Amino acid sequence: MSCMASVPVSHPLNYLQSRNLRHILPHTQSLLAGCSPPTAPSFLDYNVNLAYRPLLHLVKVLSSELLIQESGKSESFSGKGMSPIPQRWNGKCENGTTFSPSACNRKLIGAKSFSKGFQAAEKSAATDVLAGMDQAIADGVDILSLSLGFNQTAYFKDVIAIASLSAIEKGIFVVCAAGNDGSLFSTYYGAPWIATVGAATLDWSFTATMTLENGLELEGISYFPESIYITDASLYYGRDNVSKAMCKASALDQNEVAGKVVLCDNSTKIDVSDQMEEVERAGAYTGIFLVDISDLQPDDFIIPSLILDTASGTLVRKYVTEDSKAKVKGMRFTLAKLGPKPAPQVAFFSSRGPDPINPGVLNPDILAPGVDVLAAVTPIRPFIKIGKYKLVTDYALDSGTSMATPHVAEVAALLKAVHKEWSPAAIRSAIMTTAYTIDNTGSILKDQSTGLPATPLDFGAGHINANRAMDPGLVYDMDVQDYIEFLCGLGYDEKQMKSILRRSQWNCSQEPIDLNYPSFMAIFNNETVRKFSRVVTNVGDEEAVYHANLKLPTGMKITIEPSTLTFTGKYQKQNFVLSIETDEEAPAAYPNELSISIVSSRDDYEHTSRKGNSSASSIFKKINYGEKNGIKREMGLNFCFRRNYSEEEREYFTVSDGELDVDYSVVGDHLSFDQCNAILKRLEKCSHSKTLRLF
């Protein structure tokens, strides 16, 4: 996945074009000896034979010039076995300060540097990004995949939104990372013509085990890259000194901790990585660090380190405090654990909706594997330093929405290969409406940061499912005029419309038109009814019947007109209107404030057999005939309820560079309002950065 590397602001901006995204799937080679790859293909539900066939689609990504050069050393960027470069390709490999065209091949087929904006007095990388995207469009790419971000701003000032709309006009699918801010109102690039991707966990983990002398056995997180076993080691804890207990810099005494296992208390002021450095400096064997949610990367594990949750850590602290001769009987590093449950989960860092620019569009759109993804790295640069030794590797674990985004880019490339006639909107619709929201325990996807059921504001349509996306049954299609109508409805003036459309003439309808989006976001103030008009296109069997099938929570009435859609031909279109009505019994975080997000989905018979779960209920279920291999096509609903922010708060989120503290609650039909209000009501901070963000 080196081709998806982010753009360091200290480097000029470059881009490379790559064909065939096979290298983004988990690779069979691991940094850790004896470690098997994760089961991302099962999470994605790939037909491996189909997914791995050569795809003649060109994907443009952003990278640094140095990384492009070093990518040529990786087997993941080998052109071996690739077919000739398509004649329609207009791009080329150009010389750079650290890059030679000789690094290009049949897979890495284009590279060019863009750095004028960065080198200018204002040091603006935005103009470089715009230039790079425009060049990629001119070169003839099929997919634009971006994992970087600027401060959220209105569409007409957002260079990625502007360039992406130009790409959509050319039939280019655009996918962007949602961001790693992990809080409400923190998604990036939620323009409705961009597919926005959040990150999910995989069903594997990396652990270390520990057995104390008193018989207590514990397991925690560890990415230490060597297989070692520690036995009969003294356990140290600075119980009489707060600085020592927290492993504060220069606090530990080498005479006290050398050759021992050191327990470091949880601290809100000291990073775990700093604690590790202190434990290493003091000469300890290893460290035990207490934290519930760890944001450490594998290359932070410079010493054998065990990350324990605070509940488990309390047991260790109790033992070492009460026993002056406390010992660790054994510690084993590092083990790959396959099949942990629940999985997948919404990654704690994955940015959440609502969209800060336009809350009426549900974001993120989709989840994909983005935690502990085994990705290609440059094999000629040290990945980590352990003691005196610098270790290199061909593949390493990495996390972020930048890891999730190329999975969606690959599925989009697959859909383009299978359905050449599909528009970018149809591809995104197929991806969204076939996603799943049920984890490997049979429950709704969980939020990793809370352990509670997540909502569409966390996971969008759900987790991507590649094979099902190839046969969605119905799609919500759109073209550029639909997006123009959407922009007309935002009230932009002539100058602003020219900026986003990059043209001087356009047409707006006299009456407002609903955006034909695969999801619905209803925000209620004083009104009690909201209506949405949609058009679905039959891309499945020529003859098909879909029937409305709704399961609703208390206090809400949702109707579909017509309740049955009958298709007699492929690509036939049908209209329907979805109406949402609430009453005084509808759960809400605050009086008279209710928002509902609904995601159209197609579930198979297994999902529809589950009872009492409105998150997996359906809008349209296929009936009578047209079923293939026993699978029913369906369109479904996902519900969540969120506080409706005031106009002043929304305006603040849109234009402010400061911080805003907001109380919020989440209510779902799977939990009562009182339960949700008691458990989830908390303070969220949404900060805005003026710098380029790397996902």
Side-chain angles (χ1 to χ4, degrees):
M1 210 176 299
S2 296
C3 72
M4 276 307 304
S6 302
V7 185
V9 293
S10 59
H11 286 289
L13 184 66
N14 306 267
Y15 81 77
L16 57 87
Q17 280 90 12
S18 175
R19 303 171 61 207
N20 191 326
L21 295 178
R22 287 178 292 179
H23 61 285
I24 72 169
L25 286 176
H27 198 274
T28 54
Q29 181 176 353
S30 171
L31 174 65
L32 305 173
C35 179
S36 300
T39 56
S42 67
F43 272 18
L44 296 172
D45 196 19
Y46 272 106
N47 179 324
V48 177
N49 293 329
L50 179 59
Y52 279 3
R53 73 183 185 182
L55 304 177
L56 295 180
H57 293 289
L58 313 173
V59 182
K60 179 263 186 182
V61 296
L62 296 176
S63 183
S64 71
E65 187 173 301
L66 178 61
L67 188 59
I68 297 173
Q69 176 67 32
E70 295 180 352
S71 295
K73 309 295 183 181
S74 171
E75 284 298 316
S76 279
F77 285 86
S78 170
K80 187 181 302 183
M82 296 294 296
S83 56
I85 298 172
Q87 293 184 352
R88 62 186 173 87
W89 174 241
N90 300 318
K92 58 184 179 179
C93 286
E94 297 185 358
N95 270 312
T97 56
T98 62
F99 177 75
S100 169
S102 63
C104 286
N105 52 42
R106 286 186 172 185
K107 189 171 191 178
L108 183 60
I109 63 174
K112 185 175 182 178
S113 176
F114 299 89
S115 57
K116 292 182 180 179
F118 181 79
Q119 293 172 356
E122 67 273 17
K123 288 195 173 183
S124 171
T127 56
D128 298 327
V129 172
L130 183 61
M133 294 178 70
D134 284 345
Q135 184 63 56
I137 295 170
D139 288 345
V141 301
D142 295 299
I143 296 172
L144 283 168
S145 182
L146 297 97
S147 295
L148 52 82
F150 299 99
N151 186 41
Q152 296 111 320
T153 188
Y155 302 137
F156 60 85
K157 295 188 291 184
D158 183 341
V159 295
I160 291 181
I162 293 170
S164 295
L165 189 55
S166 298
I168 295 297
E169 282 195 87
K170 300 294 185 180
I172 299 169
F173 183 84
V174 183
V175 56
C176 291
N180 300 332
D181 289 358
S183 59
L184 284 173
F185 282 95
S186 66
T187 53
Y188 292 76
Y189 308 122
W193 49 89
I194 297 174
T196 309
V197 185
T201 63
L202 283 160
D203 59 343
W204 75 338
S205 60
F206 296 89
T207 64
T209 59
M210 177 177 66
T211 302
L212 301 178
E213 193 72 24
N214 67 354
L216 181 64
E217 297 181 355
L218 297 169
E219 182 180 78
I221 298 171
S222 183
Y223 295 95
F224 187 68
E226 295 180 326
S227 180
I228 63 173
Y229 188 60
I230 297 173
T231 61
D232 196 30
S234 297
L235 180 60
Y236 173 86
Y237 174 63
R239 51 189 161 191
D240 299 323
N241 185 303
V242 175
S243 295
K244 291 182 178 180
M246 292 186 177
C247 301
K248 191 175 180 180
S250 302
L252 297 178
D253 188 335
Q254 293 182 350
N255 295 324
E256 294 177 349
V257 305
K260 298 181 180 180
V261 177
V262 177
L263 175 66
C264 298
D265 261 340
N266 184 28
S267 173
T268 58
K269 297 181 180 180
I270 306 173
D271 291 337
V272 176
S273 57
D274 293 333
Q275 292 178 320
M276 286 183 181
E277 291 181 0
E278 173 60 12
V279 172
E280 181 189 36
R281 181 200 65 79
Y285 270 154
T286 183
I288 303 170
F289 306 93
L290 309 185
V291 59
D292 288 319
I293 298 293
S294 172
D295 60 355
L296 293 174
Q297 295 293 323
D299 56 356
D300 290 325
F301 283 72
I302 56 177
I303 61 171
S305 303
L306 174 65
I307 306 297
L308 287 180
D309 60 81
T310 53
S312 299
T314 299
L315 300 176
V316 180
R317 183 168 53 235
K318 182 177 184 295
Y319 166 60
V320 72
T321 301
E322 295 176 351
D323 189 341
S324 60
K325 296 182 180 180
K327 282 192 172 185
V328 173
K329 187 176 182 180
M331 293 184 76
R332 184 181 294 276
F333 297 87
T334 291
L335 308 171
K337 185 177 181 180
L338 302 179
K341 296 181 179 181
Q345 299 182 64
V346 181
F348 72 90
F349 56 78
S350 187
S351 288
R352 269 70 167 169
D355 180 62
I357 305 304
N358 190 340
V361 177
L362 180 63
N363 268 301
D365 288 315
I366 197 75
L367 285 186
V371 178
D372 289 344
V373 175
L374 193 58
V377 297
T378 173
I380 62 174
R381 187 191 302 178
F383 173 74
I384 190 173
K385 183 179 180 181
I386 303 296
K388 298 179 181 179
Y389 301 99
K390 295 179 180 179
L391 306 182
V392 297
T393 181
D394 292 308
Y395 299 90
L397 298 170
D398 205 352
S399 300
T401 51
S402 61
M403 297 292 102
T405 303
H407 286 87
V408 177
E410 179 178 22
V411 173
L414 177 65
L415 295 181
K416 268 185 168 287
V418 176
H419 302 286
K420 295 179 175 60
E421 72 282 4
W422 281 11
S423 69
I427 291 173
R428 181 188 52 208
S429 174
I431 290 172
M432 290 178 64
T433 61
T434 57
Y436 63 89
T437 59
I438 304 299
D439 63 24
N440 58 5
T441 69
S443 302
I444 198 76
L445 298 177
K446 300 292 194 304
D447 184 333
Q448 187 187 29
S449 61
T450 64
L452 296 170
T455 77
L457 292 176
D458 305 312
F459 54 65
H463 196 286
I464 193 169
N465 186 312
N467 278 347
R468 293 178 66 198
M470 288 187 288
D471 184 22
L474 303 176
V475 295
Y476 295 77
D477 205 0
M478 288 183 280
D479 57 23
V480 173
Q481 183 59 36
D482 291 289
Y483 299 124
I484 292 176
E485 298 289 355
F486 166 78
L487 293 168
C488 292
L490 298 181
Y492 287 172
D493 61 28
E494 182 178 359
K495 181 179 179 181
Q496 293 166 342
M497 289 291 286
K498 286 182 178 179
S499 295
I500 182 66
L501 296 178
R502 306 170 93 176
R503 62 173 75 170
S504 58
Q505 293 184 340
W506 60 88
N507 294 316
C508 293
S509 300
Q510 296 299 317
E511 298 294 328
I513 298 177
D514 278 353
L515 188 68
N516 200 39
Y517 212 70
S519 62
F520 307 76
M521 190 76 173
I523 302 175
F524 292 85
N525 285 309
N526 296 320
E527 70 270 44
T528 59
V529 179
R530 287 293 309 275
K531 293 187 176 183
F532 300 88
S533 297
R534 292 291 190 269
V535 179
V536 287
T537 302
N538 178 29
V539 295
D541 301 324
E542 289 192 1
E543 294 185 346
V545 177
Y546 291 82
H547 182 71
N549 180 29
L550 302 173
K551 299 175 185 177
L552 308 175
T554 302
M556 191 184 312
K557 179 181 179 182
I558 298 181
T559 58
I560 307 289
E561 292 293 339
S563 60
T564 299
L565 299 180
T566 302
F567 296 90
T568 58
K570 198 167 185 178
Y571 306 121
Q572 183 182 357
K573 299 179 183 294
Q574 294 277 7
N575 296 359
F576 72 89
V577 176
L578 181 146
S579 300
I580 305 174
E581 183 177 357
T582 64
D583 59 28
E584 64 276 3
E585 295 183 17
Y590 296 89
N592 300 319
E593 293 184 328
L594 169 65
S595 67
I596 306 171
S597 56
I598 304 174
V599 182
S600 294
S601 66
R602 191 206 80 181
D603 277 324
D604 63 27
Y605 62 92
E606 293 180 344
H607 289 177
T608 58
S609 67
R610 294 191 173 93
K611 304 297 184 181
N613 186 348
S614 68
S615 291
S617 61
S618 59
I619 297 178
F620 290 114
K621 181 168 72 173
K622 192 169 185 180
I623 59 174
N624 296 337
Y625 50 85
E627 296 182 8
K628 187 180 296 184
N629 298 327
I631 297 178
K632 301 176 181 178
R633 291 171 175 77
E634 302 182 354
M635 312 300 290
L637 299 182
N638 282 303
F639 296 92
C640 78
F641 307 89
R642 183 73 66 172
R643 177 189 172 188
N644 178 31
Y645 289 87
S646 68
E647 291 298 326
E648 292 78 11
E649 288 172 334
R650 282 191 217 152
E651 182 68 16
Y652 192 102
F653 273 110
T654 302
V655 303
S656 174
D657 288 317
E659 293 187 350
L660 177 63
D661 294 340
V662 184
D663 286 327
Y664 76 93
S665 294
V666 181
V667 181
D669 69 289
H670 43 270
L671 293 176
S672 70
F673 165 67
D674 290 338
Q675 287 174 316
C676 287
N677 204 32
I679 295 173
L680 290 183
K681 190 173 183 181
R682 63 186 184 184
L683 194 66
E684 276 287 348
K685 292 184 177 180
C686 180
S687 61
H688 300 258
S689 171
K690 296 181 180 179
T691 61
L692 177 67
R693 291 171 180 253
L694 310 177
F695 302 145

